[in-house]
Amino acid sequence: MALWVFGYGSLLWNPGFIPVRQVKARLPDYHRSFCMLSIHHRGTEDDPGLVLALDAQTGGQCTGVAFQVAENETDTVLAQLRERELISSAYYEETVTLIDDQGAPLQALTYVVDRDHVQYCQFDLEKQAQMIAGAVGGRGPNTEYLFNTAKHLAELGIKDTDMDWLVARVRALTATD
């Protein structure tokens, strides 16, 4: 059986592998949220950034992309994804049922935030913007993560009003005279 991976954040613009196929899909009862402190990739322990995570929300919906992995690359891709996404165990790996852009169910692997993990957080949008504007981690500035994700959501026609607000606010916070 083919492995599908659901991307809703950085996987949208950097899946780390070349997919055989990709389809727009949505995951019911979850939402995309900057609810995880990033202490490795987009921040540090002393100055954490924020990254997106799937957070359970009854009645919610997260639209993203399902990527099909080439069968001969399944083991390699899984190992790479686990190294990247499970670096601090703030996410857990889960198989979920997506609804693809044709309305058909699709089983996919994804990464969901562990609400009991120390990196789980809930901040208002202003606090999120302040943190994202200044944080830098091993994979670069937190602003790059935000701007790339927002750009790819827009290209896919996926509306996210919180993301739009954050982009505008972070651009204002980081503007130089």
Side-chain angles (χ1 to χ4, degrees):
M1 188 164 116
L3 173 66
W4 288 83
V5 177
F6 182 57
Y8 54 87
S10 63
L11 289 176
L12 292 172
W13 47 272
N14 183 18
F17 62 95
I18 298 171
V20 175
R21 264 180 70 209
Q22 63 185 59
V23 297
K24 196 166 156 182
R26 62 185 165 82
L27 177 61
D29 294 325
Y30 286 88
H31 70 112
R32 174 185 8 260
S33 173
F34 278 101
C35 63
M36 188 166 80
L37 297 172
S38 180
I39 58 173
H40 299 287
H41 297 317
R42 298 298 174 166
T44 64
E45 287 190 29
D46 293 333
D47 189 16
L50 291 171
V51 290
L52 292 163
L54 283 175
D55 200 6
Q57 180 186 49
T58 303
Q61 176 175 279
C62 178
T63 303
V65 175
F67 298 101
Q68 185 180 6
V69 178
E71 287 193 36
N72 64 336
E73 295 180 4
T74 298
D75 292 340
T76 302
V77 168
L78 268 176
Q80 291 170 340
L81 285 170
R82 287 173 175 158
E83 181 179 336
R84 171 182 169 173
E85 302 296 329
L86 303 178
I87 189 168
S88 62
S89 303
Y91 289 124
Y92 60 90
E93 199 172 78
E94 187 170 320
T95 300
V96 295
T97 302
L98 305 172
I99 308 300
D100 73 15
D101 56 359
Q102 302 300 309
L106 175 67
Q107 296 294 303
L109 182 74
T110 197
Y111 295 91
V112 176
V113 70
D114 178 353
R115 286 183 162 197
D116 294 326
H117 197 277
V118 68
Q119 286 174 254
Y120 179 74
C121 61
Q122 293 262 311
F123 298 123
D124 64 35
L125 288 174
E126 179 61 30
K127 172 80 172 169
Q128 290 175 36
Q130 296 283 337
M131 291 177 73
I132 291 168
V136 178
R139 289 188 184 236
N142 207 173
T143 53
E144 175 187 70
Y145 177 95
L146 169 67
F147 298 151
N148 279 337
T149 303
K151 176 182 174 222
H152 281 79
L153 288 172
E155 288 172 357
L156 291 164
I158 298 169
K159 186 74 175 147
D160 186 319
T161 55
D162 286 351
M163 187 82 61
D164 294 342
W165 188 93
L166 283 169
V167 166
R169 182 66 179 130
V170 169
R171 286 198 193 287
L173 289 169
T174 58
T176 55
D177 294 329

